[in-house]
Amino acid sequence: MNVYDQAHQLAAAIKESDEFKHYQAGRQQIRTNEDMKNMINDFQNRSMELQVKQFSGEQPDADDLANVQKLLGVITMDPVASQYLEAEMRFSLMMKDVYEILQEAADMGEL
């Protein structure tokens, strides 16, 4: 069996998953609201910046944390945005699980 053929089958299965379909549907809805799209992008960028600081050993600034939490609170007041973020999280978790399965199969864990 060809690994590349299997990879294409996995990609097709991912595209058929409920997680992917809900994520894509939410993404389409968010794209129609420019203000919400910008807020979500801002939230994601700020969250990523905080994660990078944490991974590099820096302590995130309390004001930065508070601002991200406040922005998340504003975003989640919108039901469409809240559903999108939830769908994005579920899809991301599924993809993380798939990657871990592949990593385990290739014995790419700890040395």
Side-chain angles (χ1 to χ4, degrees), residues 15-39:
K15 287 181 180 178
E16 290 299 316
S17 71
D18 288 340
E19 291 86 352
F20 180 78
K21 289 177 181 178
H22 289 128
Y23 170 63
Q24 286 297 96
R27 221 173 145 192
Q28 290 299 331
Q29 286 184 303
I30 293 300
R31 285 181 176 161
T32 64
N33 182 335
E34 195 67 30
D35 290 336
M36 187 56 64
K37 182 176 103 173
N38 290 335
M39 276 200 296

Side-chain angles (χ1 to χ4, degrees), residues 12-73:
I14 288 169
K15 287 181 180 178
E16 290 299 316
S17 71
D18 288 340
E19 291 86 352
F20 180 78
K21 289 177 181 178
H22 289 128
Y23 170 63
Q24 286 297 96
R27 221 173 145 192
Q28 290 299 331
Q29 286 184 303
I30 293 300
R31 285 181 176 161
T32 64
N33 182 335
E34 195 67 30
D35 290 336
M36 187 56 64
K37 182 176 103 173
N38 290 335
M39 276 200 296
I40 288 174
N41 285 333
D42 186 36
F43 166 74
Q44 290 173 331
N45 289 334
R46 289 179 186 209
S47 295
M48 184 64 74
E49 288 172 7
L50 290 176
Q51 289 176 8
V52 167
K53 282 184 179 181
Q54 287 177 325
F55 288 139
S56 66
E58 290 182 52
Q59 184 66 18
D61 184 74
D63 288 338
D64 290 339
L65 287 170
N67 287 335
V68 168
Q69 288 294 337
K70 183 178 177 183
L71 186 54
L72 179 61

